[in-house]
Amino acid sequence: MLATSPLIQVTPGLMIWTIICFGITFFVLRKYAFGPIQQMIDARREKIEQAIAEADNARQEARKMLEEHKQLIGQAKSESEEILSEARRVGDAQRERVRQETEEDRQRRLEETRRQIEQATHQALGQIREEVGKLSLLAAEKITRKSLTGSDQQRLIDEALAEIDFSDLERSRS
């Protein structure tokens, strides 16, 4: 039954023409189709390889930029730490300077106050001496019941002042 079908029977003339047609078709396809198709495939392969190479270069450049960025961030952090440290140092120095100026001002005012107190004390002692002298003179006049001349009065005042010990007053002030 298989041998009776005309499609399965071997016919030498038909076989030769089939081989010749196949060869001509293969030649035409090779010359006009396979070449351009192969060129398109090669061009596509080159584009893909080029894109892969560019992607690798871009990745390497991105890594390089990332490293540079990390270094810049590290530098910025260290610079900011230095700036903060410098600001703290300047602040401490300024605080110390203000404290020192305040202390100097306090000492100056304290010294000025002491000087004013001494001046007032000397002035008060002078007034006390003068009052003691006048009281002594009045007491001497009453005792002697006579009026003294100006030179006698001055002599009596000086003697009375010489007898009074003002060192007790100065000690009690301290």
Side-chain angles (χ1 to χ4, degrees), residues 147-166:
S147 260
L148 298 175
T149 64
S151 62
D152 288 338
Q153 287 179 358
Q154 187 61 42
R155 184 181 52 77
L156 285 174
I157 289 173
D158 289 339
E159 287 175 7
L161 288 176
E163 291 176 8
I164 296 175
D165 187 16
F166 288 103

Side-chain angles (χ1 to χ4, degrees), residues 80-171:
S80 67
E81 300 260 339
E82 289 175 14
I83 289 170
L84 285 174
S85 174
E86 179 68 19
R88 283 185 192 114
R89 187 187 63 75
V90 167
D92 290 344
Q94 192 162 6
R95 200 172 338 175
E96 179 63 26
R97 183 182 54 80
V98 167
R99 188 196 61 76
Q100 198 172 26
E101 287 176 357
T102 304
E103 181 64 25
E104 288 172 1
D105 187 48
R106 187 185 71 82
Q107 288 294 335
R108 188 181 75 250
R109 287 182 183 190
L110 187 62
E111 192 60 39
E112 177 67 22
T113 304
R114 283 184 187 147
R115 188 184 58 75
Q116 288 174 354
I117 289 172
E118 283 180 23
Q119 196 176 41
T121 302
H122 287 302
Q123 203 173 31
L125 286 175
Q127 288 175 350
I128 290 172
R129 284 183 185 142
E130 188 177 318
E131 288 297 318
V132 168
K134 287 180 184 177
L135 288 175
S136 296
L137 183 61
L138 282 174
E141 270 183 31
K142 286 187 180 183
I143 291 175
T144 59
R145 297 252 186 232
K146 65 176 185 174
S147 260
L148 298 175
T149 64
S151 62
D152 288 338
Q153 287 179 358
Q154 187 61 42
R155 184 181 52 77
L156 285 174
I157 289 173
D158 289 339
E159 287 175 7
L161 288 176
E163 291 176 8
I164 296 175
D165 187 16
F166 288 103
S167 62
D168 290 336
L169 288 175
E170 287 184 18
R171 273 188 247 127

Side-chain angles (χ1 to χ4, degrees), residues 60-77:
Q60 288 175 356
E61 189 173 323
R63 284 181 185 158
K64 183 180 174 185
M65 289 177 71
L66 181 62
E67 286 298 318
E68 289 176 1
H69 182 67
K70 286 180 181 178
Q71 288 177 352
L72 287 174
I73 287 174
Q75 288 176 348
K77 283 183 181 178

Side-chain angles (χ1 to χ4, degrees), residues 8-23:
I8 305 179
Q9 289 179 356
V10 177
T11 317
L14 183 61
M15 199 188 310
I16 291 175
W17 282 111
T18 303
I19 292 176
I20 290 173
C21 283
F22 177 76

Side-chain angles (χ1 to χ4, degrees), residues 39-55:
Q39 287 176 352
M40 286 185 348
I41 290 173
D42 290 343
R44 177 80 175 161
R45 184 181 304 127
E46 287 178 17
K47 284 182 182 178
I48 290 171
E49 288 174 356
Q50 187 179 19
I52 290 171
E54 287 176 0

